[in-house]
Amino acid sequence: MSERMPQHDLVVRGRRVLTDSVFRPCEIGVTAGVVVAIEPHGAGLRGREEVELQNDEALLPGLVDTHVHVDEPGRTEWEGFASATKAAAAGGVTTIVDMPLNSVPPTVSVEALEIKRRAARSQVFVDVGFWGGAVPGNTRELGPLHDAGVFGFKCFLLPSGVDEFPPLDAAEMERDMAELAGFGGLLIVHAEDAATIEHAPHAQGARYDRFLASRPHTAEDVAIAEVIDRARRTGARAHILHLSSSDALPLIAAAKRDGVRLTVETCPHYLTLTAEDVLDGATAFKCCPPIREAANRERLWEGLVDGTIDCIVTDHSPATIDLKAPADGDFAVAWGGVSSLQLGLPVVWTEARRRGIPLEKVVEWMSARPAALTGLARKGGIALGFDADLSVFAPDDGFVVDVARLHHKNPVSPYVGRALSGVVRETFLRGERVDFAEPRGRLLRRGAA
C-alpha cells in the first residue's frame, strides 16, 4: 500500500459493486460525503473507516423514492419525518420526496412549504425533498413554489380523500400545465376520472370485489388520456402517478412515441399483489387506484421491461390503525394506502428474480430513474462526484415480514408474514453510516440538490 495514496473518510470494497449499471469488483473512496475514487478491487485505497463487504453482499446506490406521504405536521399520528426516514434508511432508501398532502397545511404555498421544512428540519435520517401542490385557486403560487425549490406539483382529478387538497378539473389542469410550461415545471397527476368512478358501483362492506369494481380500469384510462391530451396541447412535462391499469399502456406508449413529455411510475404492490389473493375485510390491501387482477400485474411487468413505465416508487401512504383497518373490515371507509417504504426493495426484488430480471435493472427502476425524474443529478448511482449514498444489500438472504420490526409509525402492512428475498444490512448517507440515533439527513431543493 503506497504511503502516497490519499486518506479517504470511507473506503468500501467488495466483489459486487454496482457502477455504470454493472456489478464489478471495486473499491470506492469517499471524501467529504462524495464518491471521489472508484478503483479495481485490490487497489489498496485507504480510509479512516474501511468496510469490506461479505461474499454474499452487494453495494448498491441508495434508492430514491419520489412518492412518500409524510403527514407531519397536522397528521403526525399517521406518519412523521423521524419514523418515515428511519423506515427509508432501513430499506436502503437514502432520498425521499414528500407529497404535499396529507399534512396540514398542504404544501400549496411558499408559506406552507416553510412550515413543512421547519417540521422536518433536524429530525430526518435521509435526505428529503418536497413536492408542491396544484389545487383550485393557487396557480399564482406555482412559480414562487418552483423558485423556492419544490420538485414539481401534484394534482388530483378526483377528490383526494382530504378536504384541504381539492381536485382540479381538466380545464384547471390545462391552465396549470400552461403555467408550468413557462418555467419548465413538472405536473404529477393522480389520474383517476371522477365521473367514471361516480357512475361505477359504489364500494360497500368487506368484499374486495365490490371495492375493485368501484375503481375500474376505465377510470385510470380516461384520466390518463386527458393528461396526455392536455400535455400535448401545452408542451408541459407530465408524470402519471402509481399506474395500476395496464389497459393504459398502449396509450402511454403511443404518447411517448409522439413526443409528449410524459413519464410514468408504478408501485411495488401493483407488481407483487393480486386482487385474487386479497381476502374480504383485508383492508391493509386497500389503495387507490386498487390492486388489480393477476393478468394485469403481468402486463405491468411487461410495461416496465419495454420502457413504457419509467420507474418504481412506493406511494407510502400510512394512517392510524383505526382508519386503516376498521373493525368491520369495510373497504368503503378504510383509508386507502399501502405502507411499504422499508420493504420496497426486497418486495420488488423477490418478484423480479423469479422472473429472471437482474438486480441492476431493479436498482435502475428504483434509484437512477426516480433521481432523473426529479433532476437529482448527484443521486441514483455510484459514480465520481455523486453523493456517497450507499446500501449494503444481501440479495440471497431472506426474511419474513414482521410488522413489529418496521419503523413506520403504525404497524399495518399487507406484507405481514410474507417471505421476501434480499436484506438491507447497512445504509450510508453521504458516506456516514445511518445509525438510527443521530439524524443527518438534509432538506433538498430543486436545482441545488
Side-chain angles (χ1 to χ4, degrees), residues 140-154:
R140 291 184 178 179
E141 295 283 353
L142 303 182
L145 274 166
H146 181 80
D147 293 341
V150 301
F151 287 87
F153 302 88
K154 180 176 186 177

Side-chain angles (χ1 to χ4, degrees), residues 97-304:
V97 186
D98 173 59
M99 284 292 164
L101 73 164
N102 302 301
S103 56
V104 181
T107 315
V108 296
S109 68
V110 173
E111 180 183 9
L113 173 63
E114 290 308 314
I115 291 170
K116 179 70 75 85
R117 283 178 170 152
R118 285 197 298 271
R121 193 171 291 123
S122 80
Q123 62 165 333
V124 295
F125 289 82
V126 301
D127 287 352
V128 177
F130 300 92
W131 296 106
V135 296
N138 84 323
T139 302
R140 291 184 178 179
E141 295 283 353
L142 303 182
L145 274 166
H146 181 80
D147 293 341
V150 301
F151 287 87
F153 302 88
K154 180 176 186 177
C155 73
F156 280 76
L157 298 182
L158 79 172
S160 69
V162 292
D163 293 339
E164 66 273 6
F165 201 95
L168 301 178
D169 62 29
E172 290 169 325
M173 178 175 66
E174 182 173 346
R175 180 195 60 215
D176 284 354
M177 279 187 177
E179 180 78 8
L180 297 179
F183 52 77
L186 170 66
L187 189 70
I188 65 175
V189 186
H190 182 125
E192 288 183 285
D193 180 64
T196 301
I197 288 177
E198 179 62 30
H199 291 94
H202 289 187
Q204 54 181 329
R207 285 180 53 182
Y208 186 74
D209 61 349
R210 290 182 177 174
F211 169 66
L212 185 60
S214 76
R215 317 287 291 218
H217 285 260
T218 51
E220 283 189 84
D221 305 339
V222 168
I224 289 169
E226 193 74 72
V227 172
I228 290 170
D229 182 51
R230 307 294 170 142
R232 192 190 305 273
R233 291 188 203 179
T234 61
R237 291 175 62 208
H239 178 74
I240 303 299
L241 296 166
H242 45 50
L243 179 70
S244 164
S245 172
S246 63
D247 290 356
L249 289 170
L251 180 65
I252 292 166
K256 288 186 169 190
R257 287 194 299 270
D258 290 346
V260 178
R261 301 174 70 194
L262 184 71
T263 49
V264 182
E265 69 184 39
T266 193
C267 304
H269 39 281
Y270 301 131
L271 296 169
T272 59
L273 306 175
T274 66
E276 291 89 341
D277 294 331
V278 179
L279 299 177
D280 289 346
T283 52
F285 291 80
K286 180 183 176 180
C287 53
C288 299
I291 294 161
R292 301 193 187 277
E293 308 83 359
N296 181 87
R297 179 186 66 179
E298 299 310 302
R299 290 191 293 270
L300 290 178
W301 276 103
E302 292 169 7
L304 269 168

Side-chain angles (χ1 to χ4, degrees), residues 392-440:
V392 178
F393 185 64
D396 299 321
D397 201 354
F399 67 104
V400 174
V401 177
D402 176 358
V403 73
R405 298 177 66 86
L406 301 178
H407 287 275
H408 67 255
K409 184 161 285 190
N410 290 283
V412 178
S413 171
Y415 300 107
V416 171
R418 194 178 183 97
L420 298 178
S421 297
V423 174
V424 175
R425 291 183 176 165
E426 287 191 296
T427 301
F428 293 81
L429 181 68
R430 286 186 304 279
E432 294 190 68
R433 184 180 281 103
V434 178
D435 62 6
F436 301 95
E438 182 180 351
R440 298 189 181 96

